Amino acid sequence: METKRVVIKVGTNVLTNKDNRILGPILRELVRQISVLYERNIETILVSSGSAIAGKEILGETNIDDSSIRRQVYSSVGQPRMMRHYYSLFHDYGMRCAQVLATKRDFDAGKHRENMINCYEGLLSEGVVPIANEDDAVSLTMSMFSDNDELASLVAELLDADRLIILSDTDGLYTGHPDDENSKKLTEVTVDQNVEQYVQASVKKEGEGRGGMASKLKIAKGTARKNIPTYIANGKRENVIVDIVDNKEVGTKFIH
């Protein structure tokens, strides 16, 4: 399968350590792999988590009781820091990046959707890597994405991507908990295959939050139904993005 355009979503658990600190080497490896795709003339759109964590690194604990407002504040403060990281790293590889903010409503049919397409296509035509993020300042309730997996799926559909790669801290979907020696990783799943039964057994013992495996499975199947092969893979695995594009057996692949 020839790949000309790919959307990559990288989750917070990939970008941070156990102390919730942003991992510079992981960011650099992510950008290095995108530079490899760039040299192959493969257009890449990045959907990156991490802004809320980056914001908390700057602000520390706040006096804001409302969790939604607190997340907005952390994300708003953290966005420039994440973009500064990305700008510097892409510059090191002779590349440029740009931030594209959106709410869920922007993907509805109409002028906002058309404007987004034009912006993305313009950036890609100039060799600029768009970094998609939720517009946290105005994204609440109905205009809020369930998580960045949903944002990545909508961007992949919007831009007719050839693949969607969802990078998590697990190697894919397992038949049980990943640490259980009797669990097996599913290498390929069709949209009609009943694998939901495995999700509860495969989640981490502390439970899943926003963007957990249940959400990823739903998003992966939904995107695959639109004829966009979707992958759930370990973002900390060496060369994971390039290996997926090279059709190596990495992670769990979802197909129609």
Side-chain angles (χ1 to χ4, degrees), residues 28-146:
R28 179 170 291 278
E29 171 61 10
L30 174 66
V31 172
R32 181 197 69 78
Q33 291 182 74
I34 293 174
S35 75
V36 173
L37 302 190
Y38 180 80
E39 291 299 322
R40 298 184 187 181
N41 294 318
I42 298 173
E43 296 173 336
T44 303
I45 301 94
L46 178 62
V47 180
S48 175
S49 300
S51 61
I53 295 295
K56 191 171 183 178
E57 285 184 359
I58 296 170
L59 290 180
E61 296 299 329
T62 74
N63 296 317
I64 301 171
D65 294 328
D66 187 290
S67 60
S68 295
I69 297 174
R70 189 166 60 247
R71 185 180 67 82
Q72 284 180 299
V73 169
Y74 279 142
S75 296
S76 297
V77 172
Q79 288 282 7
R81 185 174 191 176
M82 290 300 295
M83 287 306 300
R84 187 169 69 247
H85 284 316
Y86 281 122
Y87 177 88
S88 176
L89 289 168
F90 277 112
H91 183 269
D92 288 347
Y93 285 92
M95 301 171 66
R96 297 164 297 175
C97 64
Q99 185 176 51
V100 182
L101 299 176
T103 70
K104 193 171 182 177
R105 288 175 177 169
D106 294 326
F107 288 88
D108 294 339
K111 200 64 181 176
H112 284 196
R113 183 181 178 90
E114 293 173 15
N115 289 340
M116 264 205 307
I117 293 173
N118 292 337
C119 179
Y120 274 113
E121 294 292 355
L123 290 168
L124 293 169
S125 71
E126 290 296 315
V128 179
V129 176
I131 301 178
N133 290 112
E134 184 170 12
D135 192 349
D136 293 286
V138 295
S139 288
L140 286 175
T141 61
M142 294 299 291
S143 63
M144 185 176 177
F145 301 103
S146 60

Side-chain angles (χ1 to χ4, degrees), residues 24 36 58-59 63 99 138 161 163 182 194-195 202 206 236 250:
V36 173
I58 296 170
L59 290 180
N63 296 317
Q99 185 176 51
V138 295
R163 303 178 196 240
N182 296 318
N194 179 20
V195 292
S202 67
E206 63 268 23
K236 293 181 179 179
V250 178

Side-chain angles (χ1 to χ4, degrees), residues 204-245:
K204 291 183 173 181
K205 292 184 176 69
E206 63 268 23
E208 61 177 83
R210 195 169 181 240
M213 185 54 76
S215 167
K216 286 175 173 51
L217 176 56
K218 180 181 178 181
I219 293 297
K221 279 193 168 186
T223 311
R225 282 193 180 93
K226 300 179 178 93
N227 292 313
I228 302 173
T230 302
Y231 303 76
I232 297 175
N234 192 333
K236 293 181 179 179
R237 180 187 183 277
E238 185 179 358
N239 218 43
V240 58
I241 297 168
V242 176
D243 284 348
I244 287 174
V245 171

